[in-house]
Amino acid sequence: MPELPDVETFRRYLNSTALHKKIAGTHVLDERILGETSRNSLGRFLKGEELEETTRHGKFLFAKAGSRGWLVLHFGMTGELKYQKTSKEEVEYARFTVDFTDDHRLIYSCRRMLGKVDFTDNLKDFAEKQELGPDALDDKVNLEWFSKTLSERNSTLKSFLMNQSIIAGIGNVYSDEIFFRAELHPGIKTSKLKKGDVERLYNCMHEVLEKAIDVQADVERMPEDFLLPHREPEARCPNCGGKIKKETIAGRSSYFCPKCQKK
DNA sequence: TTCCATGTTCCGCA
DNA sequence: TTGCGGAACATGGA
């Protein structure tokens, strides 16, 4: 589930596997995965270079390829990364590979084709073009900024937190988790929040994202009192034992506890 | 077979 | 003009 914690986990995985190796070539297995950069250009930009370092902005992962710029990976809803020996059998739904001269390759897979592979020579320009707000864990997103930005909007909390042009990185699953921890109903209007609510929401956003990164976004390793392990029909609230409710809010299915998260 | 799914983008409307 | 909510997109999985 590629939201901020998942993408951060991919980034660390890439760092521990695919950095500082010479790129022999690249393969685009399905052109529909490409963003603005053509198959040929992508190959030309990457071949002979090494991935030197990585960074992340919201749900976008960037890997610096020599002095030419950055490989851009977005994972859509079903994207994944895998690094393995070239001789190993192909990963299912593999769409793009970076092949290294040491006979290993980095495989980008994406079942539903909603992700994107791209290249950019400037991270700032890229973020602007994508209309990305600051990353949720960026220092800029402090309580003061958060509370000011919240007050300038008038939408549901759900739609606020999932809007990538306001704050980048939070999607459907982790926004539910944040509202659960903050004991706020996802359908509350931003204008209705009291000062204490805003602070709690802000703190829970950090708590949830950091904890999720800690456990490598693995649901099995999430704390038992998180909503995530109980995010399914008929589940019980880990807090009060009540029944978890599913409702469409801002166009997405939202799970919450109607007892703990009042509107 | 039908419904649903963690992503973004586009369109109509207030 | 801006910004919100819903539909559409692609591809299976339950």
Side-chain angles (χ1 to χ4, degrees), chain A residues 9-23:
Chain A
T9 303
F10 291 148
R11 189 182 76 79
R12 294 178 185 188
Y13 175 74
L14 194 159
N15 280 0
S16 68
T17 56
L19 286 191
H20 314 304
K21 296 162 189 269
K22 194 168 176 186
I23 298 171

Side-chain angles (χ1 to χ4, degrees), chain A residues 178-198:
Chain A
I178 292 164
F179 300 134
F180 179 75
R181 303 296 305 161
E183 302 193 346
L184 291 168
H185 190 293
I188 299 174
K189 290 278 186 166
T190 49
S191 54
K192 299 278 183 206
L193 286 197
K194 300 183 184 76
K195 193 160 174 258
D197 297 331
V198 176

Side-chain angles (χ1 to χ4, degrees), chain A residues 133-150:
Chain A
D135 186 86
L137 295 179
D138 191 304
D139 289 342
K140 190 191 166 186
V141 183
N142 54 33
L143 179 58
E144 192 192 358
W145 183 93
F146 185 80
S147 137
K148 180 173 174 288
T149 308
L150 196 66

Side-chain angles (χ1 to χ4, degrees), chain A residues 6 9 36 50 77 85 90 137 140 148 167 192 200 230 248-249:
Chain A
D6 313 87
T9 303
E36 306 273 296
E50 293 179 7
M77 283 168 97
K85 284 207 105 164
E90 199 72 71
L137 295 179
K140 190 191 166 186
K148 180 173 174 288
I167 296 171
K192 299 278 183 206
R200 229 165 47 250
H230 313 277
T248 301
I249 296 166

Side-chain angles (χ1 to χ4, degrees), chain A residues 12-240:
Chain A
R12 294 178 185 188
Y13 175 74
L14 194 159
N15 280 0
S16 68
T17 56
L19 286 191
H20 314 304
K21 296 162 189 269
K22 194 168 176 186
I23 298 171
T26 56
H27 286 285
V28 175
L29 305 165
D30 192 318
E31 289 218 337
R32 291 173 299 169
I33 212 68
L34 295 177
E36 306 273 296
T37 313
S38 71
R39 176 202 298 266
N40 286 344
S41 307
L42 201 54
R44 210 168 56 243
F45 291 144
L46 292 173
K47 191 172 177 182
E49 303 288 355
E50 293 179 7
L51 301 180
E52 292 167 359
E53 59 174 309
T54 58
T55 187
R56 186 188 52 71
H57 187 157
K59 302 170 191 173
F60 286 89
L61 171 58
F62 305 90
K64 191 162 194 278
S67 57
R68 301 190 210 183
W70 301 77
L71 171 66
V72 182
L73 300 176
H74 187 280
F75 297 88
M77 283 168 97
T78 53
E80 282 176 70
L81 276 189
K82 184 94 188 175
Y83 177 84
Q84 63 183 34
K85 284 207 105 164
T86 309
S87 54
K88 256 195 125 182
E89 66 181 77
E90 199 72 71
V91 169
E92 205 175 9
Y93 308 117
R95 312 296 188 191
F96 172 72
T97 67
V98 179
D99 303 333
F100 300 99
T101 53
D102 71 347
D103 217 33
H104 282 71
R105 63 185 169 199
L106 185 68
I107 301 163
Y108 166 92
S109 68
C110 190
R111 178 163 62 76
R112 280 170 62 192
M113 301 293 302
L114 295 169
K116 278 282 174 278
V117 175
D118 213 334
F119 196 88
T120 183
D121 55 10
N122 186 304
L123 295 182
K124 205 165 156 253
D125 291 349
F126 184 86
E128 252 169 53
K129 203 170 172 201
Q130 290 288 328
E131 300 185 328
L132 281 188
D135 186 86
L137 295 179
D138 191 304
D139 289 342
K140 190 191 166 186
V141 183
N142 54 33
L143 179 58
E144 192 192 358
W145 183 93
F146 185 80
S147 137
K148 180 173 174 288
T149 308
L150 196 66
S151 70
E152 290 165 351
R153 296 279 167 164
N154 188 29
S155 65
T156 60
L157 292 184
K158 181 89 179 177
S159 133
F160 175 81
L161 220 49
M162 292 205 323
N163 188 335
Q164 303 300 299
S165 68
I166 304 175
I167 296 171
I170 299 165
N172 198 19
V173 168
Y174 284 103
S175 66
D176 276 0
E177 187 66 60
I178 292 164
F179 300 134
F180 179 75
R181 303 296 305 161
E183 302 193 346
L184 291 168
H185 190 293
I188 299 174
K189 290 278 186 166
T190 49
S191 54
K192 299 278 183 206
L193 286 197
K194 300 183 184 76
K195 193 160 174 258
D197 297 331
V198 176
E199 280 189 37
R200 229 165 47 250
L201 184 61
Y202 177 79
N203 290 333
C204 290
M205 176 176 83
H206 272 269
E207 180 207 6
V208 166
L209 295 177
E210 281 157 17
K211 184 69 208 175
I213 291 171
D214 262 8
V215 301
Q216 295 165 47
D218 180 350
V219 181
E220 306 279 307
R221 293 175 59 200
M222 298 282 170
E224 201 26 52
D225 60 345
F226 268 39
L227 174 66
L228 211 47
H230 313 277
R231 202 175 180 282
E232 54 194 30
E234 303 299 309
R236 293 278 159 188
C237 169
N239 200 21
C240 73

